[in-house]
Amino acid sequence: MTEQKDRELYRWLRLIREFEGRISALDKQGKLMGGVYSGKGQEAVTVGFCHDLRLDDWIFPLHRDLGAFLVKGADPKRLMAQIFGKRDGFAKGKDSYLHGGDLANGIFGATSCLGATLPVAAGMAYKFKIRKEDRVAIAFFGEGASSRGDVHEAMNFAGVHRLPVVFVCENNFYAYSTPNELQFGADNVADRAVGYGFKGEVVNGNDLHAVMKTAGKAIDRARRGDGPTLVECKTYRYHGHSEHDRADYRSEEEVITWESRDPIFLWEIYLEKRKYDIAAIRKGTGEEVTRIVEEAVAFAEAGASPEGPEAMEDLYAMPIDTEAR
Amino acid sequence: MLVTYIEAIRQAMDEELARDGNVLLMGEDVGVLGGAFKASAGLQEKHGADRVIDMPISESLIVGAGVGLAVQGMRPVLEMQFIDFIACGFDQIVNTAATLRYRHGGQTACPIVVRGPSGGGVHGGLYHSQNPEAWFCHVPGLKVVAPATAYDAKGLLKSAIRDDDPVIYFEHKFLYRRIKEEIPAEEFLVPIGKAALRKEGRDLTVVTYGAPVHAVMKAARDMAAEVDIEVIDLRTLLPIDWATVKGSARKTGKVLIVHEARLSGGIGGEVAARIAQDCFEELDGPVMRLAARDVHTPFAPAMEDYVLPNQEKVTEAIRKLAAY
Ligand SMILES: Cc1ncc(C[n+]2csc(CCOP(=O)(O)OP(=O)(O)O)c2C)c(N)n1
């Protein structure tokens, strides 16, 4: 990889961390409503899968994948406004977080029902296939969500038709408080791929090199028309399930172990090994991402909140006449 | 003893787990965590991990497995982490559980309870604010309850657990810690199928249930000088206590129905139609309804407030009907 790309990847890792860190801080200050689901610790999965996508590829993020919005091209300002429930957000205040996608950038907004985006991703990939477009759909889901029928049903269909979709399981070892051993009986979620007739791979989700390599192969395979891949990224979330969760179902030791495998830290070590001027990169990147995030916060805070009657907008393509409106 | 609504729910499960070895609690994170809202805090420690069971994330599994256990004589209480996700278990509820007894010609009972936090008013957005009770009131074979007080929350849950039919139990998350109530220390049950007369009145009846009960009661007190309001809390939505509802309609001649779920297709339509048909001659005005607007429950406060019923809208609706 070129120095420029190495630095660019670093910038994305840092931007996501800063963006989410700021959201956690805003939440602590009581400036946000609703739940906040930090993906801190999982940035390498996001960057690894989204960085080399094309604008006309699609991603289907899970509830911790705000960073994926950024890498795929969403405007940080609008994304922050979305979190504040402001009019400038993608959902225009009707919902928060990733429930309003940014369709112009190929980012599908999820419902809260875990795993429900996977069938949608499969459907989209079916269109790419029958229209002979070399585009791909990337569907992210947690190991917890992998227990849902929707997840299985989507993979089954994708296997039948060899669809250009990549299923990315972000296995962070806990679904809320539920550990993997109470979630599934197999060693790996990726082991299930054989039952769907396509390839499953397990990768260290904190190692950006490893993720990029596996993501690259899976995306190429999909683009070439060679069908889906199920990639399981073993990673860890540092925060609780939401900011209100103290996460005392995990041991301190475990958290510390994973912190020593921090994806940004690992990437910095790599940059150092390449003999780049890491001090300068760290400083320059830090200043840049702080500026972007602060501009986004300022934009979101200054933005208008929707007023009551706006609740009735966007329900139908053509407004219908119901008296309860 | 003085308890919150959610503590009343916890007590009901604790007491029933202790009383009957066949009672189980199953759901996502109900064990070590004690549930997302702490409704089951401490219960796994007390009753064991094979009776308070952390389940994989699959609502359809949770309900379906519950039915399997029920056929074997167990009495599972099945928690939906948020009631919105009951949609993911919908098939198992309406096609497996609700039909079980009927299609087996009465050979088996289906004593399951499906419970979870419903309702809005907390800026939860589209997927953490729903009031889906009407979906289930259309399904024969189910019973549907929606307590508004800590006393009813406890008494109805205990009755639901002992009931031989599938009961869908809608608890309102807005009430969890906002209401506190003195309840008896000794055991009590609240029967399924009986409405509560919350306040007697002569001029006008308000039929309601769930969180709006509190807004309606406040309105009834605030407006006492203006209009004498009778308040009926349905508590059970399937089957509805028609005797109480119609008795009150005949007495006051004016009925307003208030619920938080949206208007079209809501329970209020059914109540209004029955009253209009059966009490027509005794009515002094049209049966009226106040409910959420016909739209999803949005996130931003001004929009959520615009969509859901509130104190102001209750007062306005009462005035309008009283003036008839
Ligand atoms: C169908 C459904 N059931 C329950 C929930 C509540 N819930 C939200 S996140 C979560 C845990 C998700 O775990 P996982 O899929 O592993 O993702 P993670 O949060 O660990 O990133 C649960 C149970 C939900 N959103 N959807």
Side-chain angles (χ1 to χ4, degrees):
Chain A
M1 272 191 283
T2 63
E3 175 168 356
Q4 197 203 338
K5 181 154 181 188
D6 285 340
R7 292 173 66 143
E8 217 177 88
L9 293 168
Y10 179 66
R11 179 186 167 279
W12 284 117
L13 293 171
R14 290 282 306 270
L15 178 64
I16 297 171
R17 174 119 349 147
E18 180 95 2
F19 198 91
E20 291 199 308
R22 193 68 165 84
I23 290 169
S24 298
L26 286 162
D27 186 64
K28 280 206 184 66
Q29 292 163 12
K31 292 195 173 173
L32 301 178
M33 303 166 296
V36 164
Y37 306 94
S38 173
K40 185 175 176 190
Q42 303 183 200
E43 294 90 347
V45 178
T46 305
V47 176
F49 273 91
C50 298
H51 187 267
D52 292 342
L53 291 178
R54 302 191 316 220
L55 178 64
D56 68 349
D57 293 326
W58 278 71
I59 60 167
F60 295 75
L62 66 81
H63 52 283
R64 277 181 219 296
D65 288 337
L66 271 187
F69 274 63
L70 295 169
V71 185
K72 188 69 174 55
D75 175 358
K77 293 195 177 86
R78 290 196 67 194
L79 186 58
M80 196 61 89
Q82 165 82 6
I83 290 161
F84 274 80
K86 294 294 181 80
R87 222 183 245 164
D88 294 311
F90 303 112
K92 300 187 204 162
K94 296 191 185 82
D95 213 336
S96 168
Y97 254 76
L98 38 61
H99 297 144
D102 179 7
L103 302 187
N105 282 302
I107 306 168
F108 188 82
T111 74
S112 265
C113 294
L114 294 165
T117 49
L118 274 72
V120 182
M124 191 175 276
Y126 190 81
K127 184 264 182 176
F128 297 163
K129 183 183 170 184
I130 61 175
R131 288 286 185 262
K132 301 193 167 39
E133 297 165 343
D134 64 343
R135 303 159 72 186
V136 296
I138 312 280
F140 297 93
F141 62 105
E143 82 291 347
S146 78
S147 297
R148 287 220 42 230
D150 277 19
V151 170
H152 160 78
E153 290 165 35
M155 291 193 197
N156 181 54
F157 178 68
V160 168
H161 294 284
R162 304 190 65 71
L163 300 177
V165 54
V166 183
F167 299 106
V168 184
C169 178
E170 299 187 44
N171 184 349
N172 57 19
F173 293 86
Y174 293 90
Y176 208 149
S177 71
T178 306
N180 282 357
E181 61 269 25
L182 289 179
Q183 198 68 247
F184 47 84
D187 290 339
N188 304 297
V189 173
D191 295 348
R192 300 181 202 172
V194 64
Y196 303 120
F198 50 80
K199 202 167 158 53
E201 305 215 43
V202 179
V203 62
N204 176 353
N206 282 24
D207 176 349
L208 182 54
H209 279 291
V211 177
M212 298 273 300
K213 197 169 144 215
T214 309
K217 272 195 300 183
I219 291 166
D220 283 350
R221 191 177 295 144
R223 255 196 237 296
R224 277 200 314 266
D226 289 344
T229 310
L230 167 56
V231 181
E232 177 178 1
C233 303
K234 307 269 195 197
T235 183
Y236 203 72
R237 68 162 148 80
Y238 293 152
H239 287 214
H241 167 64
S242 73
E243 297 299 86
H244 303 285
D245 170 24
R246 290 200 317 272
D248 40 21
Y249 41 83
R250 327 182 290 195
S251 72
E252 208 170 308
E253 215 180 310
E254 180 184 284
V255 179
I256 292 169
T257 306
W258 278 97
E259 276 170 355
S260 73
R261 304 171 189 158
D262 183 87
I264 299 184
F265 174 62
L266 293 179
W267 196 250
E268 286 181 348
I269 290 177
Y270 159 74
L271 296 181
E272 251 166 31
K273 274 203 198 124
R274 297 290 301 255
K275 306 244 180 316
Y276 303 146
D277 183 352
I278 184 70
I281 295 175
R282 210 186 259 140
K283 183 159 178 291
T285 308
E287 282 165 5
E288 190 197 348
V289 299
T290 303
R291 184 178 47 72
I292 296 171
V293 171
E294 290 314 314
E295 276 175 17
V297 173
F299 175 83
E301 287 193 308
S305 292
E307 292 180 16
E310 288 164 50
M312 308 314 290
E313 293 171 4
D314 303 318
L315 189 60
Y316 296 103
M318 294 285 277
I320 62 165
D321 184 23
T322 86
E323 290 180 356
R325 314 192 83 227
Chain B
M1 61 191 146
L2 191 65
V3 299
T4 58
Y5 183 94
I6 192 160
E7 170 58 16
I9 291 168
R10 201 194 61 78
Q11 283 183 7
M13 293 194 291
D14 189 15
E15 289 176 17
E16 292 304 297
L17 281 160
R19 187 188 60 82
D20 179 353
N22 290 328
V23 174
L24 305 173
L25 172 60
M26 300 162 72
E28 293 149 18
D29 309 292
V30 296
V32 174
L33 189 74
F37 290 92
K38 302 287 174 202
S40 54
L43 296 186
Q44 187 181 62
E45 227 171 291
K46 192 163 164 188
H47 301 283
D50 53 357
R51 296 192 58 209
V52 178
I53 307 162
D54 277 321
M55 294 292 285
I57 300 174
S58 171
E59 288 70 17
S60 98
L61 164 77
I62 293 168
V63 177
V67 173
L69 284 155
V71 172
Q72 283 298 311
M74 307 299 279
R75 297 189 165 271
V77 178
L78 311 167
E79 178 175 292
M80 303 284 110
Q81 196 159 81
F82 279 86
I83 208 66
D84 310 66
F85 309 131
I86 200 170
C88 304
F90 194 72
D91 172 51
Q92 289 291 344
I93 295 175
V94 306
N95 287 322
T96 307
T99 61
L100 189 69
R101 176 189 286 273
Y102 192 73
R103 72 192 144 89
H104 288 92
Q107 294 176 71
T108 181
C110 188
I112 64 169
V113 180
V114 183
R115 49 162 283 270
S118 65
V122 296
H123 318 311
L126 264 57
Y127 306 102
H128 295 82
S129 305
Q130 295 180 47
N131 292 287
E133 58 269 21
W135 302 351
F136 298 98
C137 288
H138 200 61
V139 181
L142 300 179
K143 291 176 179 170
V144 178
V145 300
T149 66
Y151 182 90
D152 282 358
K154 183 168 179 180
L156 273 173
L157 184 48
K158 287 173 70 97
S159 295
I161 292 170
R162 298 181 196 189
D163 199 287
D164 277 339
D165 295 315
V167 180
I168 317 295
Y169 177 100
F170 291 100
E171 48 206 60
H172 203 296
K173 70 173 89 65
F174 186 82
L175 302 179
Y176 272 162
R177 291 182 174 82
R178 280 186 180 83
I179 60 166
K180 269 204 175 87
E181 192 184 357
E182 201 63 51
I183 64 170
E186 55 284 1
E187 172 164 289
F188 64 93
L189 297 172
V190 171
I192 292 175
K194 279 266 163 281
L197 178 61
R198 294 270 172 232
K199 181 186 167 300
E200 282 198 74
R202 272 178 326 235
D203 300 339
L204 178 159
T205 299
V206 181
V207 177
T208 183
Y209 62 88
V213 166
H214 301 276
V216 169
M217 285 301 287
K218 184 165 188 309
R221 284 191 299 268
D222 292 354
M223 300 171 81
E226 218 177 307
V227 44
D228 189 14
I229 299 168
E230 178 144 309
V231 182
I232 291 176
D233 172 0
L234 287 177
R235 303 195 290 200
T236 298
L237 309 179
L238 184 65
I240 284 175
D241 178 0
W242 291 116
T244 300
V245 171
K246 289 178 192 170
S248 181
R250 292 193 171 107
K251 174 177 147 191
T252 65
K254 287 182 179 175
V255 182
L256 169 69
I257 302 146
V258 181
H259 57 61
E260 189 185 293
R262 57 192 66 96
L263 185 77
S264 299
I267 310 300
E270 186 61 35
V271 175
R274 299 261 186 140
I275 295 172
Q277 179 182 298
D278 297 347
C279 312
F280 183 71
E281 323 238 290
E282 286 107 322
L283 290 179
D284 295 325
V287 182
M288 294 172 97
R289 289 177 294 159
L290 171 66
R293 291 175 193 270
D294 283 342
V295 74
H296 306 288
T297 308
F299 175 68
M303 290 197 286
E304 185 179 27
D305 202 44
Y306 182 79
V307 168
L308 299 183
N310 57 25
Q311 191 71 44
E312 200 184 317
K313 295 179 199 176
V314 168
T315 308
E316 192 187 321
I318 290 172
R319 284 221 170 95
K320 199 166 152 194
L321 181 56
Y324 230 89

